[in-house]
Amino acid sequence: MTVTEHVRPTVAPESAAAQVLSAEQRYAAELAFLAAHDDGARPPGWALTPRAVVTFIRGSDGEALSLPADRRSRPGGVDLPASLTIVPKFVGERSLVERCVVTLAGERGLLLVGEPGTAKSMLSELLAAAVCGTSALTVQGTAGTTEDAFRYGWNYALLLAQGPTPQALVDSPVLTAMRTGRVARIEEVTRCLPEVQDALVSILSDRRMNVPELSGTGNGLIRATPGFTVIATANLRDRGVSEMSSALKRRFNFETVHPIADAGTETDLVRRQATAAVQRAGAPYTVDDAVLDALITVFRDLRTGRSGEGWDVERPGTVMSTAEAVQVAASLGLAAAYLPGGDPLDLVPGHLLGVVRKDDENDHARLLGYWDGPVRRRAEDGSAMWRRLWDLRASLR
């Protein structure tokens, strides 16, 4: 037996579990239940009613929805449950979700903007899964993204053998969505070069795509099927952002996804997601709630530039997002599970330093300033938790 065989035993592909499931896979039972539960009017091509899409994303407020007996049977002999409580999946204003759903029902482009880590991509994925049953028709925008990612490419072996034919055409995710009446997702659209972005202008306005190479064959014009639309996301604060043209902006409805306003809600979300991440790694989540509360307090103070007590805080250039807080909380949980023996609180300064050092070297000094301000004041007020954090200041150097 070789070393490689010893450290990595062979696993049958069909038995290997995916690290991350798509929204339509993870919540397949809820999507099927809601499709049967709400039999109201649906826009063309939609898997759920607009009202059911909102319920899927925002949850049923703890209420168990009931399904009549005559709607429970499904093909394959696996019946739907008589009742089901829909869990909330996106923490944000209900009105925001409703506006997004109305935009998509009108087959208009939706652009979700905001700071990094505010769950724009997650909301985009949930919307696509609920509206058309798949979130897989996705383009990841980068500086290297070409127009082909929004339009089409060619199978060059067939192109050389047959010339330009429909069989040699390779659809982009956007073109596939057009043909099938589904939702195309474009992540980080402003990271694409402006000339690449503008390929979307005619797609969103004319709802058709010309294929000049196939002109005169009856396949040179592809029209969008009812239900087709586009959800894009943009981190407008990031470096490397390319300004969108006015023409493209007019094709989208803009919706801003803000950071979570309520501290308790953010703490609950971070705990839930960190617990899930640690459980996927095969361990229980044992980090004390007091440690998690302190972590979220630090993130919120640095994010807003003001502590809960009203003290001014110098904001770092790095975005102290909820997503970053989840990663730190998960790291604390993994350390407690697999490297036991220490206090997870002792690890907090080091992980915070790793977060703030990502963009601006001056953020290190800002973090030290936060320790010399709010952390020291809270320690002086008699809090044992903050006193311990103050004693750990040396680990920030």
Side-chain angles (χ1 to χ4, degrees):
M1 178 180 291
T2 66
V3 173
T4 301
E5 290 171 335
H6 178 72
V7 299
R8 294 197 64 179
T10 303
V11 177
E14 61 270 15
S15 67
Q19 281 188 312
V20 180
L21 297 176
S22 64
E24 57 269 23
Q25 294 171 319
R26 192 159 62 249
Y27 303 113
E30 289 190 6
L31 291 169
F33 183 91
L34 287 170
H37 178 265
D38 192 340
D39 60 353
R42 306 177 188 188
W46 281 41
L48 302 179
T49 67
R51 179 173 54 192
V53 173
V54 175
T55 301
F56 171 69
I57 295 172
R58 290 287 300 162
S60 57
D61 296 324
E63 176 189 355
L65 304 181
S66 299
L67 191 63
D70 59 350
R71 299 185 194 173
R72 297 175 196 166
S73 59
R74 299 177 66 191
V78 180
D79 291 344
L80 294 171
S83 65
L84 187 66
T85 301
I86 308 300
V87 300
K89 302 164 190 67
F90 173 75
V91 178
E93 296 179 356
R94 184 182 183 89
S95 59
L96 166 66
V97 178
E98 290 176 344
R99 289 195 302 272
C100 292
V101 170
V102 168
T103 294
L104 298 176
E107 297 184 335
R108 184 167 172 81
L110 171 65
L111 182 62
L112 302 173
V113 301
E115 293 186 345
T118 49
K120 298 181 298 299
S121 295
M122 184 182 74
L123 178 56
S124 166
E125 181 184 3
L126 291 170
L127 285 166
V131 167
C132 67
T134 180
S135 59
L137 300 175
T138 304
V139 176
Q140 178 61 55
T142 69
T145 301
T146 65
E147 225 179 283
D148 291 356
F150 296 154
R151 294 174 59 79
Y152 56 85
W154 295 97
N155 180 322
Y156 287 102
L158 288 178
L159 187 64
L160 291 173
Q162 304 174 358
T165 63
Q167 293 73 30
L169 194 71
V170 178
D171 290 2
S172 70
V174 177
L175 183 52
T176 299
M178 291 181 68
R179 290 186 191 271
T180 59
R182 294 180 175 176
V183 176
R185 300 171 57 221
I186 302 174
E187 293 293 315
E188 309 286 2
V189 65
T190 51
R191 288 195 174 277
C192 302
L193 296 176
E195 57 268 27
V196 175
Q197 294 179 26
D198 284 344
L200 292 169
V201 173
S202 61
I203 293 172
L204 290 173
S205 57
D206 300 333
R207 302 286 164 156
R208 58 178 180 264
M209 190 179 297
N210 290 299
V211 185
E213 298 88 344
L214 298 180
S215 61
T217 66
N219 296 295
L221 181 64
I222 302 170
R223 300 182 184 276
T225 300
F228 163 70
T229 191
V230 172
I231 304 175
T233 64
N235 289 329
L236 299 182
R237 181 175 166 178
D238 275 359
R239 297 174 183 174
V241 164
S242 298
E243 179 67 20
M244 296 174 67
S245 67
S246 298
L248 183 56
K249 287 179 180 178
R250 289 196 299 271
R251 270 66 181 184
F252 282 104
N253 281 358
F254 281 57
E255 291 293 345
T256 302
V257 183
H258 296 285
I260 300 172
D262 180 69
T265 301
E266 183 173 13
T267 302
D268 289 343
L269 175 66
V270 171
R271 181 186 299 106
R272 186 166 62 250
Q273 294 198 357
T275 298
V278 174
Q279 287 176 345
R280 284 198 301 271
Y285 190 75
T286 59
V287 175
D288 189 85
D289 284 349
V291 175
L292 195 58
D293 289 341
L295 175 67
I296 299 304
T297 297
V298 174
F299 266 83
R300 293 180 67 84
D301 289 351
L302 292 172
R303 181 191 309 149
T304 61
R306 195 169 185 82
S307 73
E309 297 89 346
W311 304 323
D312 289 335
V313 175
E314 188 174 4
R315 296 175 61 187
T318 299
V319 177
M320 304 297 290
S321 68
T322 303
E324 290 281 8
V326 170
Q327 295 304 316
V328 174
S331 296
L332 297 179
L334 289 168
Y338 289 120
L339 301 172
D343 186 345
L345 184 65
D346 295 349
L347 305 177
V348 169
H351 283 292
L352 287 172
L353 191 57
V355 172
V356 302
R357 273 181 169 169
K358 290 183 178 179
D359 292 321
D360 186 349
E361 61 182 16
N362 294 321
D363 284 346
H364 185 187
R366 296 184 179 106
L367 184 60
L368 285 171
Y370 177 78
W371 239 253
D372 293 336
V375 173
R376 178 180 59 81
R377 290 186 183 185
R378 289 165 183 155
E380 291 172 348
D381 287 342
S383 169
M385 176 78 67
W386 293 98
R387 179 66 196 180
R388 179 58 186 158
L389 284 173
W390 169 248
D391 291 340
L392 293 168
R393 185 186 186 280
S395 62
L396 292 173
R397 294 193 177 277

